[in-house]
Amino acid sequence: MALNQLKLSLQFADIPFAARHRTALPRHKVTRWIRHALSDDAEITVRIVNAEEGQRLNQEFRKKDYATNVLTFDYAQATDESPWVMADLVLCAPVVAQEAKAQGKTLQAHYAHLLVHGTLHAQGWDHETSEADADEMEDYEIAILKAMGFGNPYGKA
């Protein structure tokens, strides 16, 4: 399977337990996870943030006053004229860690899922438009993650 090209910037803000998150997110694995979810070449920045920055961004851009696991800022989706995806994926380290623990997953497996999820959003996938769209997106995420050796992130059989 030929994977699309990716220009990746991986950034870490001042986050609690930074070494744990850096260990879970080696650049070569982040690149692999995102490339498996790409249907076009891309330039993506991944930024790992603390709860304060995550909450501020979620409030500012989604009008929701809490830190969420992943925010996707898609600046350009691929078209016939410009076959290039440009996006920022912002992941909130404390939220991701709490969710991984609550769901009985490794931190790395949860990050892989959220990076695939955010990458699909950057390409126009949306799970909030309808139940059918949500099911289709989940099924695709499950297939991508399975191909990379991860279990079903939704816990379904």
Side-chain angles (χ1 to χ4, degrees):
M1 171 172 133
L3 298 176
N4 287 288
Q5 295 299 308
L6 171 65
K7 291 182 181 179
L8 174 68
S9 174
L10 180 58
Q11 304 172 359
F12 290 85
D14 182 17
I15 57 173
F17 308 104
R20 180 174 177 229
H21 293 274
R22 286 181 182 274
T23 299
L25 291 162
R27 183 179 183 78
H28 70 282
K29 288 189 178 184
V30 171
T31 299
R32 179 175 180 256
W33 301 333
I34 292 172
R35 286 183 70 201
H36 272 81
L38 286 173
S39 57
D40 296 289
D41 293 340
E43 182 175 338
I44 295 178
T45 297
V46 173
R47 181 165 170 80
I48 310 303
V49 302
N50 59 35
E52 293 77 20
E53 185 174 348
Q55 182 174 355
R56 181 182 56 76
L57 289 169
N58 202 24
Q59 172 63 39
E60 186 174 338
F61 292 99
R62 295 178 66 226
K63 307 302 183 228
K64 297 185 179 189
D65 193 23
Y66 58 88
T68 189
N69 53 16
V70 61
L71 292 168
T72 301
F73 298 93
D74 60 333
Y75 305 112
Q77 294 179 7
T79 64
D80 289 339
E81 295 81 35
S82 175
W84 199 260
V85 174
M86 291 178 34
D88 291 343
L89 305 179
V90 178
L91 292 95
C92 184
V95 173
V96 175
Q98 183 277 324
E99 289 178 347
K101 182 178 180 179
Q103 296 171 19
K105 299 176 186 175
T106 66
L107 184 59
Q108 190 168 77
H110 198 40
Y111 269 123
H113 173 221
L114 293 173
L115 286 167
V116 166
H117 183 87
T119 300
L120 293 180
H121 275 305
Q123 297 172 99
W125 289 78
D126 193 346
H127 55 85
E128 296 182 353
T129 50
S130 72
E131 191 170 324
D133 288 346
D135 290 343
E136 184 179 8
M137 187 171 175
E138 283 184 14
D139 289 346
Y140 192 36
E141 290 172 35
I142 292 165
I144 292 168
L145 290 160
K146 182 178 179 184
M148 292 188 291
F150 289 102
N152 183 331
Y154 296 102
K156 300 175 188 172

